[in-house]
Amino acid sequence: MTAEQVARSAREASNLLQTVTSAQKSAVLRRIKQVLEERREDIIAANRSDKEAAQKEVEAGHLSGSLFKRLDIEGAGGEKFTTLLQGVDDVDRIPDPIGQVTMARRLDDDLDLYRVVCPVGVCLVIFEARPEVVVNIACLAIKSGNAAILKGGKEANQTNNALAAAIQHAIATTPVQEGQTLFPERAVQVVSTRDEINSLLDMDRYVDIVIPRGSNSLVRHIQNNTRIPVLGHADGICSTYLDTTADLQKAVHTVVDAKTHYPAACNSTETLLVNSAVLESVFVPVATALLKAGVRIHADDRSLKVIENAGIAKDPSVAAQVSAATDKDFGHEFTDLDIAVHVVDSLDEAIDHINTHGSKHTDAIITEDRASAEWFMRRVDAAGVYWNASTRFADGFRYGFGAEIGVSTNKTHARGPAGLEGLTIYKYYLFGNGQGAVDYGVGKDKRSFLHEDILLDNVRDKFVL
């Protein structure tokens, strides 16, 4: 199929999905989990082949280590694949949002207005590595009544194809009850070449939203080469700030977790801001813990001097982990065991630093002072602002969304970790009885609007299939 044929068939599938019931969506999701489980060994074998080829690319310097880490779909003892299957169940358990009423108003007698949740339509999802995205997006798209066109990176080609084949087989073999709309087999499609993507990025007639998941260069390329709305983020430059009343135990645990739990992730902390009042009392133990965890510290002049005076990097092997920070380190996404440290003299200075160098993703403050925490959370311009918690919590699964389509730093209909709601929009239903706009106004024989709210509890599921 050509790119245009793929896009057109996705639009046709999207139109059919408008009348698919919640029960049908659930049946398809259950079938997807079943087929994935049946094909587990084949999918993992494909993933191992991808990883073996990718390892050679890493050794040759053609593929980054952080990208390689994202390829694995198996995990220790198959844990990651099991989590993938659990994610399908989690999406299935989410209440179907399509058809739900979010606003109801009686404009006049026999003239009722409803704002109703509906699918976005056709979603083009482009991602690097992370083959589990194929399953995550497919399930979220099905649950939300959207058609999805998926394009993964060539480094995960065998895994992506194996997963997509399983999903498409599951859709095609899900039983249809009498009277139900046939679930469209083209609801989930996969494309494999850059030329196809370049063509699809021009097809705003068919594609409603583009969701890029990957490197800064990938996201920026897409943002600069399409008229279609883009949901995503180019950088994950997250900061954690140690305030004057930071609790030592909380500071050590949250900072080490935020940096080392999964350093390649976009919600990993890249910058540590330290109030000068806690340089010796809190920062030194935090820095010690980071060094012990293998983190390379890029320290500004003040923090570097404290590290040297404290003697925590005397050992030559540890000393190699500490270096002087450059201006480029602040506002840089390391995606590795590296962190930039900058000392500030006030809460407002920390906030200004984040708003200047951050990427509006997720930022945290470690403090025991509620007023300071709330001031930080109100003033920092980010999709997520945390108090005494690791930035690694910025994740759709951890938010209870079942899975996520990505993390958005846009100020549009979806911001932060976007789950099912990121694939929905709304439309207005107006039920009348022959009225015209000319019937309303000021003067003889003109009617006035009532504009009375209708109790949502009475109509919330009025249009859910």
Side-chain angles (χ1 to χ4, degrees), residues 175-181:
V176 179
Q177 303 299 319
E178 186 177 350
Q180 290 182 334
T181 299

Side-chain angles (χ1 to χ4, degrees), residues 78-201:
E79 178 185 359
K80 202 168 182 181
F81 196 90
T82 300
T83 300
L84 180 69
L85 295 176
Q86 179 189 336
V88 180
D89 281 337
D90 291 340
V91 172
D92 188 22
R93 283 193 290 267
I94 299 172
D96 189 347
I98 304 304
Q100 290 188 358
V101 177
T102 59
M103 185 276 286
R105 184 160 297 149
R106 177 150 295 147
L107 306 186
D108 194 7
D109 293 334
D110 291 329
L111 192 62
D112 293 342
L113 178 70
Y114 301 92
R115 186 173 62 209
V116 183
V117 178
C118 65
V120 168
V122 176
C123 309
L124 172 61
V125 185
I126 307 163
F127 56 97
E128 296 172 325
R130 291 185 186 270
E132 65 269 23
V133 170
V134 173
V135 179
N136 293 343
I137 297 294
C139 291
L140 286 170
I142 288 167
K143 185 73 176 188
S144 56
N146 288 281
I149 304 171
L150 308 176
K151 165 65 172 74
K154 62 180 181 180
E155 64 281 344
N157 195 49
Q158 293 186 60
T159 314
N160 292 338
N161 288 338
L163 290 169
I167 291 167
Q168 289 166 341
H169 177 74
I171 292 173
T173 57
T174 300
V176 179
Q177 303 299 319
E178 186 177 350
Q180 290 182 334
T181 299
L182 183 66
F183 203 99
E185 292 185 22
R186 297 288 181 185
V188 178
Q189 298 180 83
V190 176
V191 295
S192 57
T193 70
R194 286 187 177 181
D195 288 342
E196 288 173 307
I197 288 301
N198 290 334
S199 297
L200 288 167
L201 289 175

Side-chain angles (χ1 to χ4, degrees), residues 26 29 72 147 150 205 230 238-239 250 257 270 276 285 294 307 370 373 378 384 393 407 409 413-414 429 460:
S26 186
L29 291 172
D72 182 42
L150 308 176
R205 177 182 177 185
V230 177
C238 304
S239 298
K250 293 176 184 176
D257 180 87
E270 305 289 13
S276 56
I307 290 173
R370 174 177 289 275
R378 190 176 297 275
F393 281 104
V407 179
T409 55
H413 78 291
Y429 289 11
R460 193 179 307 278

Side-chain angles (χ1 to χ4, degrees), residues 125-364:
V125 185
I126 307 163
F127 56 97
E128 296 172 325
R130 291 185 186 270
E132 65 269 23
V133 170
V134 173
V135 179
N136 293 343
I137 297 294
C139 291
L140 286 170
I142 288 167
K143 185 73 176 188
S144 56
N146 288 281
I149 304 171
L150 308 176
K151 165 65 172 74
K154 62 180 181 180
E155 64 281 344
N157 195 49
Q158 293 186 60
T159 314
N160 292 338
N161 288 338
L163 290 169
I167 291 167
Q168 289 166 341
H169 177 74
I171 292 173
T173 57
T174 300
V176 179
Q177 303 299 319
E178 186 177 350
Q180 290 182 334
T181 299
L182 183 66
F183 203 99
E185 292 185 22
R186 297 288 181 185
V188 178
Q189 298 180 83
V190 176
V191 295
S192 57
T193 70
R194 286 187 177 181
D195 288 342
E196 288 173 307
I197 288 301
N198 290 334
S199 297
L200 288 167
L201 289 175
D202 283 334
M203 295 183 188
D204 51 331
R205 177 182 177 185
Y206 300 118
V207 180
D208 296 295
I209 192 167
V210 182
I211 304 170
R213 295 184 59 167
S215 66
N216 179 299
S217 58
L218 169 71
V219 177
R220 293 204 183 279
H221 172 78
I222 291 167
Q223 289 172 332
N224 295 333
N225 287 277
T226 186
R227 298 183 299 273
I228 304 167
V230 177
L231 187 154
H233 68 284
D235 298 293
I237 304 167
C238 304
S239 298
T240 297
Y241 166 58
L242 304 180
D243 193 32
T244 55
T245 62
D247 176 86
L248 177 57
Q249 185 176 356
K250 293 176 184 176
V252 170
H253 185 65
T254 55
V255 173
V256 171
D257 180 87
K259 181 68 264 182
T260 68
H261 183 248
Y262 190 5
C266 62
N267 56 14
S268 172
T269 284
E270 305 289 13
T271 301
L272 177 64
L273 299 172
V274 185
N275 192 289
S276 56
V278 295
L279 268 171
E280 295 182 1
S281 60
V282 179
F283 170 65
V284 169
V286 168
T288 301
L290 287 170
L291 292 170
K292 186 177 180 181
V295 176
R296 293 173 289 274
I297 297 177
H298 304 251
D300 70 355
D301 291 342
R302 296 166 76 182
S303 58
L304 184 60
K305 184 176 181 180
V306 169
I307 290 173
E308 291 171 348
N309 291 341
I312 61 175
K314 285 183 177 179
D315 186 281
S317 61
V318 179
Q321 294 174 231
V322 180
S323 62
T326 66
D327 290 341
K328 291 182 180 179
D329 288 330
F330 302 101
H332 178 66
E333 187 176 14
F334 294 105
T335 65
D336 208 339
L337 286 173
D338 293 82
I339 194 167
V341 180
H342 179 65
V343 180
V344 296
D345 293 314
S346 69
L347 171 59
D348 283 341
E349 187 180 346
I351 292 169
D352 289 343
H353 189 281
I354 291 171
N355 287 341
T356 300
H357 299 282
S359 63
K360 305 182 189 301
H361 191 298
T362 305
D363 302 290

Side-chain angles (χ1 to χ4, degrees), residues 99-101 104 114 454-463:
Q100 290 188 358
V101 177
Y114 301 92
I454 299 171
L455 189 63
L456 271 180
D457 288 344
N458 295 336
V459 295
R460 193 179 307 278
D461 297 326
K462 184 178 179 70
F463 305 109

